Each structure stands twice: as structure tokens, then as C-alpha cells.
């Protein structure tokens, strides 16, 4: 499972590293240390926490998240696979983005809960890139 540094988590949550660090210090999201002593957040824990942040359950001290060029970097919070189609949910700061795509695309991109991904919005289509 992929883990994220406090800085990476902050970017995915759309907040400052100081805010992410305060949340970790307060126990709102679990961290562990790597062999170099850096604090890391497990991808599944970050995915669950990002949903809370997106629903406003964490607090109002962060500024609204904005995207540039219709790109929404975030973390995969749910994947539902069908025989041919799939549904992928990404939490990008306060934005929950849902995309319908082929099962084959999901498997080729290796999309699963906790993986960093970027949703790209063009008109009525949402395209997802693995970050």
C-alpha cells in the first residue's frame, strides 16, 4: 500500500502542510514513521480522512480548494468494478469526483483505494490520470 508524507497529503487534501501536520498531531489522521523518521500516512487512511475533509467534518480553517486547468489532483476513495464498466471516486480537497470508465482502464491504471490520481474535466467528460 502506498504511503504519503505530510506534504503530499496536504497537497491532496488542498490544505497547507501546517494544517495537515496539526491534524496529524491532534490524532485526526493516523501516521507512522519510516526508516528515516519521516511521518507517513497510509493511503487507505488518507482516503478515508479525505472524505471527511470533503464533507466538512474536519473543520473550517482551510481555504477553499481550487484547480488550475481543470485538473483535480486527489486520492481514490472508492472503486466499483463491473464486468465491463467501473466507477471511480476521487476526493480532491473538498471536491468529490465520480467517473465512469472501463474496467480495463481501471486495471491498466492500477486504480485502487488510497492511490493518488488526477481527474481532468473537459466539458461533460471526466478523465483520470494516475499521478
Amino acid at each position: 500500500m502506498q504511503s504519503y508524507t505530510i506534504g503530499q497529503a496536504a497537497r491532496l487534501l488542498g490544505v497547507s502542510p501546517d494544517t495537515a501536520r496539526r491534524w496529524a498531531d491532534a490524532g485526526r489522521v493516523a501516521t507512522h514513521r519510516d526508516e528515516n523518521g519521516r511521518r507517513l500516512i497510509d493511503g487507505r487512511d488518507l482516503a478515508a480522512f479525505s472524505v471527511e475533509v470533503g464533507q466538512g467534518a474536519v473543520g473550517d480553517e482551510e481555504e477553499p480548494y481550487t484547480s488550475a486547468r481543470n485538473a483535480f489532483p486527489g486520492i481514490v476513495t472508492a472503486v466499483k468494478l463491473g464486468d465491463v464498466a467501473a466507477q471511480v471516486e476521487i476526493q480532491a480537497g473538498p471536491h468529490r469526483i465520480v467517473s465512469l470508465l472501463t474496467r480495463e482502464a481501471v486495471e491498466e491504471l492500477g486504480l485502487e483505494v488510497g492511490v493518488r490520481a488526477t481527474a481532468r474535466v473537459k466539458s461533460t467528460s471526466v478523465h483520470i490520470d494516475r499521478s
Side-chain angles (χ1 to χ4, degrees), residues 16-72:
S16 73
D18 286 338
T19 297
R21 197 171 295 109
R22 280 194 306 272
W23 287 342
D25 290 345
R28 292 182 171 177
V29 63
T31 64
H32 63 278
R33 297 215 180 249
D34 68 5
E35 62 278 353
N36 297 319
R38 293 181 309 164
R39 284 201 308 184
L40 300 175
I41 302 171
D42 178 73
R44 289 191 181 272
D45 292 338
L46 183 58
F49 185 68
S50 71
V51 171
E52 291 178 34
V53 171
Q55 294 172 345
V58 176
D60 296 326
E61 67 264 11
E62 69 271 359
E63 293 183 25
Y65 179 81
T66 60
S67 70
R69 297 186 184 179
N70 301 324
F72 293 83

Side-chain angles (χ1 to χ4, degrees), residues 51-128:
V51 171
E52 291 178 34
V53 171
Q55 294 172 345
V58 176
D60 296 326
E61 67 264 11
E62 69 271 359
E63 293 183 25
Y65 179 81
T66 60
S67 70
R69 297 186 184 179
N70 301 324
F72 293 83
I75 188 165
V76 176
T77 57
V79 176
K80 297 175 186 169
L81 295 174
D83 291 337
V84 176
Q87 177 179 313
V88 176
E89 293 182 24
I90 293 177
Q91 193 70 41
H95 308 290
R96 176 179 167 261
I97 299 165
V98 179
S99 180
L100 301 175
L101 56 162
T102 65
R103 179 186 181 120
E104 181 181 10
V106 170
E107 291 170 348
E108 284 180 9
L109 290 169
L111 296 175
E112 61 183 26
V113 173
V115 169
R116 186 174 28 185
T118 301
R120 299 196 187 275
V121 180
K122 180 180 178 193
S123 186
T124 59
S125 299
V126 176
H127 304 270
I128 296 179

